[in-house]
Amino acid sequence: MTTLFTQTIIAVVWDFDKTLIPGYMQRPLFEEYGVDERAFWTEVNQLAEVYRKRGSEQVSGEMNYLNHVLTYVRRGVFEGLSNEKLGELGARLQFYPGLPDFFGELKAAVEREPRFAHHDITLEHYVVSTGFTRTIRGSAIAPFLDGVWGCEFVEDPDGDSSVISQIGYVLDNTTKTRAVFEINKGVNKHPNQIEVNAAVPEAERRIPFQNMIYVADGPSDVPVFSVVKRNGGRTYGVYNPGQRKEFSQVNELQRQGRVQAFGPADYREGSQTYMWLTDAVREIAERIVTDRERALGDKVGKAPRHLSD
């Protein structure tokens, strides 16, 4: 019987803010327009209470911040802000040590191993973030990515203006799990043939969860950590070196069993995080080889031999 996928792909799925970069990706936006970053987020945090007083009982935090960006556009604070500008701002992002080179090194480590190549084992990188998709795609990490899930704006649908005016897609901490299921089933590669809610047997999915590693920094990633870990994947937490609060936060995640291990967000060769992730990728690849060779042996069976006296 023909199977949909060979299941020889390893996926490393990354959060973005405070996982790949020290802060938040919106910082270049605030710097570009001279906006006080703390003041903006303080206003965002107050919006939920404002909306509740006006009768809105369920308010999404991600919708609040995205709508507040659009409010600043309408007020002329973010004058002329377009998707193109959001992409350009991505080029200003500063990544943690070792990035983006580490992404290429992980892929190359799999590709240059003859045993892995023999079984067509490859590695893909994905970013799943509540930040701006356009900014991620404009950053130095973009050439190494096989897919991005994030929040998107659309420009004025009724005119010729390139200024953003509506929210096109929202990803929050819970719907991040939808993204990993899309990666798992191959929805992102075959959107016209496979839907995220389609019933696809585990053995038929493009990237089984046991071939996944999820890397992130905080409690907001608990839903994805849980899905990946519960289904046999690997989970790893990172923190900004020298930041006591961030260390304590990810240490607590390990204590609760949310992550299997954690380390500083330093991706240079020889660092703890570099070694843990490279070992995890190799272990997954070795397991794929073992499974495939065992399956081949089971299907082919032993060749007949002459009986000896």
Side-chain angles (χ1 to χ4, degrees):
M1 183 176 64
T2 302
T3 57
L4 289 176
F5 303 110
T6 60
Q7 298 194 327
T8 56
I9 302 169
I10 300 169
V12 186
V13 185
W14 305 81
D15 179 38
F16 196 87
D17 294 339
K18 296 192 173 183
T19 297
L20 301 179
I21 62 174
Y24 295 102
M25 71 174 69
Q26 292 81 15
R27 182 165 296 168
L29 172 64
F30 300 137
E31 292 173 348
E32 172 74 8
Y33 290 95
V35 170
D36 186 300
E37 183 175 358
R38 288 189 178 183
F40 177 88
W41 292 119
T42 297
E43 292 169 3
V44 168
N45 292 335
Q46 294 171 345
L47 286 175
E49 183 60 26
V50 171
Y51 294 153
R52 273 192 286 270
K53 287 181 179 179
R54 296 177 180 177
S56 299
E57 296 181 5
Q58 296 177 315
V59 183
S60 162
E62 279 66 30
M63 287 293 289
N64 282 348
Y65 105 80
L66 294 171
N67 276 320
H68 208 48
V69 169
L70 293 179
T71 296
Y72 270 42
V73 172
R74 289 193 298 272
R75 290 175 179 173
V77 180
F78 292 154
E79 185 177 3
L81 182 59
S82 64
N83 280 318
E84 182 179 1
K85 170 62 75 174
L86 288 174
E88 292 171 356
L89 294 173
R92 303 185 191 178
L93 293 175
Q94 299 297 311
F95 288 84
Y96 277 122
L99 296 176
D101 294 344
F102 179 57
F103 275 40
E105 291 167 9
L106 267 183
K107 284 192 175 187
V110 173
E111 293 170 356
R112 66 173 171 254
E113 174 60 52
R115 292 178 66 244
F116 302 160
H118 177 72
H119 288 277
D120 298 319
I121 299 173
T122 57
L123 184 142
E124 296 178 351
H125 289 289
Y126 294 96
V127 164
V128 177
S129 169
T130 58
F132 305 143
T133 297
R134 296 299 183 102
T135 300
I136 295 168
R137 290 200 176 280
S139 74
I141 211 82
F144 300 91
L145 299 178
D146 296 275
V148 177
W149 278 259
C151 298
E152 298 216 45
F153 296 105
V154 293
E155 296 158 359
D156 184 3
D158 296 323
D160 297 326
S161 174
S162 63
V163 177
I164 58 172
S165 62
Q166 297 179 14
I167 297 170
Y169 190 82
V170 180
L171 199 73
D172 60 27
N173 298 325
T174 301
T175 54
K176 276 186 173 185
T177 60
R178 176 189 174 97
V180 295
F181 273 107
E182 290 187 359
I183 296 168
N184 168 236
K185 293 182 178 181
V187 176
N188 56 309
K189 299 295 184 178
H190 304 276
N192 296 324
Q193 289 80 35
I194 305 173
E195 294 182 357
V196 69
N197 293 320
V200 182
E202 294 286 344
E204 297 288 314
R205 298 185 181 188
R206 184 171 184 268
I207 306 178
F209 281 107
Q210 62 180 346
N211 289 11
M212 269 189 211
I213 304 170
Y214 185 65
V215 187
D217 70 289
S220 63
D221 294 286
V222 164
V224 185
F225 279 140
S226 297
V227 167
V228 173
K229 188 168 181 282
R230 185 173 62 246
N231 288 281
R234 312 292 183 94
T235 54
Y236 189 79
V238 295
Y239 65 93
N240 191 341
Q243 296 296 318
R244 170 64 66 175
K245 288 184 179 180
E246 292 190 24
F247 171 86
S248 298
Q249 180 174 268
V250 75
N251 186 35
E252 179 65 14
L253 288 176
Q254 186 183 46
R255 191 189 68 79
Q256 295 173 358
R258 306 292 188 178
V259 297
Q260 295 164 323
F262 72 93
D266 181 345
Y267 302 95
R268 289 173 292 189
E269 184 174 0
S271 71
Q272 175 182 330
T273 296
Y274 179 101
M275 291 188 289
W276 193 94
L277 289 173
T278 52
D279 276 4
V281 167
R282 173 164 287 276
E283 288 167 5
I284 292 171
E286 293 284 2
R287 193 255 310 146
I288 294 172
V289 170
T290 300
D291 289 349
R292 286 173 62 81
E293 290 180 348
R294 181 183 298 119
L296 181 61
D298 291 344
K299 288 183 178 180
V300 174
K302 294 182 178 179
R305 297 186 180 184
H306 292 291
L307 294 176
S308 59
D309 292 336

